[in-house]
Amino acid sequence: CSDGTECETAVFLDGTDYKTISQSLANQLNDYGYIYLKKFANKTGTYFNSDSCAVSISSDYADIRDNLTIFKAIRGVYESVLDLLNARNFLNADGTLSEVSIQAYTSLAGYPLSQMFKDGDLSLDPATEGQILVSRTEVVGSSKNIPISITLTPRGIGRTITITIGFGLK
């Protein structure tokens, strides 16, 4: 049973109120990837400071929402290209995939990514389609492996908003 007030006081597990910590400690907790509740002046509600994970901020896996996007892409591409598992491919004379086979894999891998764009998970970037790279050098005839590399273009996230206001002459 809830009285609706349990999230109105943003505290850490040890009972320390968010309002009592220094800005440098808040910044350090952010830098380390901790998630905690915080309040904003003149705004009703309690909010999470971020959706960070405890990894390097430069990692592809630094944010929960990026992880969800990556894993959604993995599931979609896997399901899409699974029909080509154990399929016969057209090969070039040197045993590498022909352009027809490369296009088949590229097209199937691209379908779930285009759906993710429509759903708002990925940004519109004309280069995204060119970021599905099916190996042109792997000798599929002997290795039986078809490497596919995909580079996603996520939507931009504004972590900080800076507003500068002042008076000027006409």
Side-chain angles (χ1 to χ4, degrees), residues 47-59:
Y47 301 88
F48 289 106
N49 65 313
S50 71
D51 67 341
S52 304
C53 296
V55 299
S56 168
I57 197 154
S58 62
S59 169

Side-chain angles (χ1 to χ4, degrees), residues 2 5 27 32 36 118 124 159:
S2 169
T5 62
N27 292 342
Y32 286 155
Y36 55 87
K118 290 177 188 170
L124 175 59
R159 298 260 181 232

Side-chain angles (χ1 to χ4, degrees), residues 60 73-74 76-78 81 105-106 108-110 112-113 122 128-134 147-153:
D60 284 345
I74 289 169
V77 170
Y78 172 80
V81 300
Y105 285 98
T106 302
L108 285 174
L113 301 179
L122 299 174
T128 300
E129 189 173 312
Q131 298 301 320
I132 302 170
L133 303 174
V134 179
I148 302 172
S149 299
I150 300 173
T151 303
L152 301 177
T153 307

Side-chain angles (χ1 to χ4, degrees), residues 97-119:
L97 283 178
S98 70
E99 284 301 316
V100 170
S101 293
I102 288 172
Q103 283 304 319
Y105 285 98
T106 302
S107 176
L108 285 174
Y111 176 75
L113 301 179
S114 65
Q115 187 60 46
M116 288 177 69
F117 163 70
K118 290 177 188 170
D119 294 344

Side-chain angles (χ1 to χ4, degrees), residues 49-52 57 62-66 157-161:
N49 65 313
S50 71
D51 67 341
S52 304
I57 197 154
D63 299 309
I64 292 171
R65 78 182 84 210
D66 290 345
I157 299 168
R159 298 260 181 232
T160 305
I161 299 171

